[in-house]
């Protein structure tokens, strides 16, 4: 995974979540099918991915923003906060 720079995930279901998150974390270009619920979820949380059939390249600034937004979304601190909110 580290040696590739472009990743295309053309499935409609939320498959390969762990791999996709890891690829974004590694500052890679990730392209998802526009019908994917994961694409919608990531977009809603400020994580930019390319779209299959669109051939849009993600800018270096977007890649940097992705890392920050991803950290805010799934960091250990954020996950703990969400779990405690549900449990209390």
């Amino acid at each position: 995974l580290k040696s590739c720079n472009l990743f295309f995930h053309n499935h409609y279901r939320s498959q390969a979540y762990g791999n996709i998150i890891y690829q974004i974390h590694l500052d890679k270009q990730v392209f998802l099918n526009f019908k994917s619920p994961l694409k919608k979820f990531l977009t809603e949380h400020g994580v930019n991915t390319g779209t299959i059939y669109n051939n849009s390249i993600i800018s270096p600034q977007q890649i940097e923003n992705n890392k920050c937004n991803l950290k805010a979304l799934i960091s250990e601190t954020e996950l703990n906060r969400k779990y405690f909110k549900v449990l209390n």
Side-chain angles (χ1 to χ4, degrees):
L1 292 176
K2 290 182 180 181
S3 64
C4 296
N5 291 316
L6 299 171
F7 292 91
F8 295 87
H9 300 275
N10 194 27
H11 31 74
Y12 301 150
R13 297 179 293 134
S14 295
Q15 298 172 312
Y17 177 79
N19 286 336
I20 291 168
I21 297 303
Y22 185 61
Q23 292 157 5
I24 293 169
H25 175 74
L26 292 175
D27 298 333
K28 305 299 183 174
Q29 296 272 342
V30 176
F31 296 85
L32 302 175
N33 190 296
F34 70 95
K35 294 181 182 179
S36 168
L38 183 56
K39 165 86 172 142
K40 182 180 178 185
F41 174 78
L42 291 172
T43 301
E44 288 173 353
H45 289 89
V47 179
N48 294 295
T49 62
T51 304
I52 303 287
Y53 310 118
N54 186 348
N55 297 329
S56 59
I57 300 297
I58 304 165
S59 72
Q61 182 61 45
Q62 287 174 312
I63 290 173
E64 186 62 34
N65 289 343
N66 281 350
K67 205 169 211 175
C68 293
N69 292 337
L70 192 62
K71 184 176 181 179
L73 182 62
I74 62 168
S75 69
E76 183 177 353
T77 303
E78 182 61 17
L79 292 175
N80 284 337
R81 185 189 69 76
K82 288 176 183 177
Y83 286 130
F84 285 124
K85 184 177 178 182
V86 169
L87 296 174
N88 290 327

